[in-house]
Amino acid sequence: MSHTAPAAAGSAPALDDRTEERPVYVIGGGPGGLAAAAALRERGVRAVVLEKSGDVGASWRGHYDRLRLHTTRRRSALPGLAMPRRFGRWVARDDVVRYLEKYAEHHELEVVTGVEVSRVDRAPDGSDWQLAASGGRMLTGRAVVVATGFNHTPRVPEWPGRDTFTGTFAHASEYRDAAPYAGRDVLVAGIGNTGAEIAVDLVEGGASRVRIAVRTAPHIVRRSTLGWPSQATAVLVRRLPVWLVDPAARLMSRLVVPDLTAYGLPRPATGLYSRVREGAIPVQDVGLIDAVKRGRVVPMAAVESFDGDTVVLADGNRITPDAVIAATGYRRSLEGLVGHLGVLDARGRPVVRGGRTPKRAPGLHFIGFTNPISGMLREIALDAPKIAKKIARRTARSR
């Protein structure tokens, strides 16, 4: 793996554009960027990965300690390198990082760390792309793959009075383990997979009280049932119509997931697959069901505002937790990078994915910006070869 030291500001860039052979620039050294670069290299196309941090897999390094993949080891591997069996079925965060490091080394990827790209534009000749990067660099590539990550920028709602809260406040991206919260009353705001898992971690880590604020009750699924992983089911049903999947999922839920309505967590009225189409991924149970049934995690109404040491909930109740952890998701934050190119939808998501490029921006690709029930890493593994094939064909035509 080649790590090219970034040039100091004002000096000549350490990156070599090779005028006679413009590289393909891949922005981001996470799973998506590494997979795309490996697929391009497999097709004989030079790809340079630009990573703003000092290492590949930076996002994964920052996740909380207890995190494990909710997708199986076999269905989470990137193209060209299996995950080691010793990682187990549900791969731990640190092992994901080790895998990404090994992946870059195994494929001999050209990774340049310490370089942040701030803007992507068409080159003056109209055929290439220009990237404005840190250190005053202006890089030119024949194609660009944007892989800056699904979980790029922490999103915190603009709750009235939040700045006045006298307790501890943190976004879930800052949470590592339960140690700082031992013996404390904690409210987790948000019940996606991250919020649910942090709530369980807090209980197991000795928090005196754990409550979880719920705006919309989620679908909860078992990570596996009788050894059959929920991801396998998701792969099978992903292409089926909503009208068929929703009733089947409802029946399965009633068979394997207890009704938690009496504990403040009712079954959703909207079907599971209907919710997925709206962007709401089911919560995989890693201890939440048991914690709620035992009263160790108590569902509450959604957070509406803050008032000094008090959190005001949507149902009018007022509580005074010692700490609030906002498990409120992330933004893609692509607007500054490519928003001016007209390639994002109203929610800031790429309008195309995989082998396709926007009509007004041929040669610009996106990877890792979807989160299907079948698994993000699996999706990346499917999209990377499509991107490489499209770029290789376009390169061949331009010669």
Side-chain angles (χ1 to χ4, degrees):
M1 176 173 56
S2 173
H3 289 274
T4 306
S11 63
L15 292 167
D16 174 17
D17 278 342
R18 291 191 198 173
T19 304
E20 74 281 5
E21 183 189 350
R22 299 296 195 196
V24 173
Y25 282 112
V26 180
I27 308 173
L34 298 181
L40 285 163
R41 193 176 191 281
E42 181 71 16
R43 287 186 171 269
V45 178
R46 182 185 177 216
V48 177
V49 179
L50 305 176
E51 168 55 46
K52 69 178 181 179
S53 74
D55 300 283
V56 299
S59 177
W60 279 93
R61 296 172 191 273
H63 288 314
Y64 48 93
D65 292 350
R66 73 172 283 153
L67 178 65
R68 288 181 176 271
L69 290 179
H70 291 166
T71 53
T72 63
R73 181 190 73 253
R74 289 181 56 250
R75 292 184 177 89
S76 301
L78 302 179
L81 185 66
M83 286 189 172
R85 290 176 62 94
R86 68 177 183 276
F87 285 178
R89 192 179 203 189
W90 311 106
V91 183
R93 178 204 63 186
D94 289 349
D95 285 332
V96 173
V97 172
R98 292 187 186 97
Y99 173 73
L100 295 177
E101 292 174 338
K102 181 64 177 178
Y103 190 84
E105 177 185 347
H106 175 80
H107 289 287
E108 299 180 339
L109 302 182
E110 192 172 349
V111 180
V112 185
T113 58
V115 176
E116 182 173 9
V117 178
S118 57
R119 184 180 170 98
V120 176
D121 284 292
R122 295 294 283 177
D125 65 6
S127 61
D128 289 337
W129 290 91
Q130 283 191 339
L131 289 71
S134 53
R137 302 174 181 84
M138 188 61 71
L139 308 172
T140 304
R142 48 182 158 161
V144 175
V145 181
V146 180
T148 49
F150 191 84
N151 296 335
H152 186 274
T153 303
R155 185 183 71 84
V156 179
E158 295 182 0
W159 286 307
R162 183 177 68 81
D163 292 341
T164 70
F165 182 55
T166 56
T168 302
F169 184 93
H171 186 268
S173 60
E174 304 170 73
Y175 181 89
R176 294 295 174 269
D177 59 49
Y181 301 94
R184 305 181 72 189
D185 181 344
V186 187
L187 173 68
V188 178
I191 194 170
N193 277 294
T194 296
E197 190 156 1
I198 287 176
V200 173
D201 196 46
L202 288 165
V203 166
E204 296 176 355
S208 63
R209 186 177 191 180
V210 179
R211 290 174 282 194
I212 190 163
V214 181
R215 185 167 299 279
T216 304
H219 284 277
I220 302 174
V221 298
R222 300 288 191 184
R223 190 160 62 177
S224 65
T225 302
L226 299 176
W228 179 262
S230 63
Q231 184 192 12
T233 301
V235 170
L236 293 174
V237 306
R238 191 180 172 204
R239 303 296 181 186
L240 297 179
V242 171
W243 63 263
L244 182 62
V245 178
D246 274 354
R250 187 177 301 112
L251 175 60
M252 178 60 68
S253 177
R254 292 185 181 280
L255 290 174
V256 302
V257 177
D259 186 357
L260 301 175
T261 302
Y263 303 93
L265 205 57
R267 296 187 189 275
T270 308
L272 184 149
Y273 205 32
S274 295
R275 291 283 301 279
V276 168
R277 291 291 184 89
E278 297 169 358
I281 299 299
V283 170
Q284 292 209 12
D285 178 47
V286 291
L288 179 68
I289 292 174
D290 183 67
V292 169
K293 289 178 66 177
R294 292 174 179 269
R296 301 181 73 189
V297 171
V298 180
M300 310 290 290
V303 172
E304 283 294 301
S305 63
F306 290 78
D307 182 12
D309 65 347
T310 302
V311 178
V312 182
L313 304 179
D315 60 3
N317 282 326
R318 299 167 66 90
I319 60 175
T320 55
D322 300 318
V324 173
I325 298 172
T328 46
Y330 296 80
R331 297 192 303 272
R332 312 294 87 79
S333 296
L334 292 168
E335 289 80 5
L337 188 67
V338 296
H340 56 286
L341 298 173
V343 296
L344 305 178
D345 65 15
R347 296 172 61 182
R349 302 171 303 183
V351 295
V352 297
R353 46 164 286 211
R356 294 177 294 165
T357 61
K359 291 182 179 179
R360 63 180 66 186
L364 180 65
H365 293 264
F366 296 87
I367 188 170
F369 293 99
T370 58
N371 189 23
I373 56 174
S374 52
M376 183 186 295
L377 292 177
R378 180 178 180 274
E379 195 81 2
I380 286 171
L382 294 173
D383 280 348
K386 296 176 184 177
I387 291 173
K389 181 179 180 180
K390 184 66 173 288
I391 292 176
R393 283 183 174 178
R394 185 170 182 269
T395 299
R397 288 197 301 267
S398 64
R399 287 176 178 170

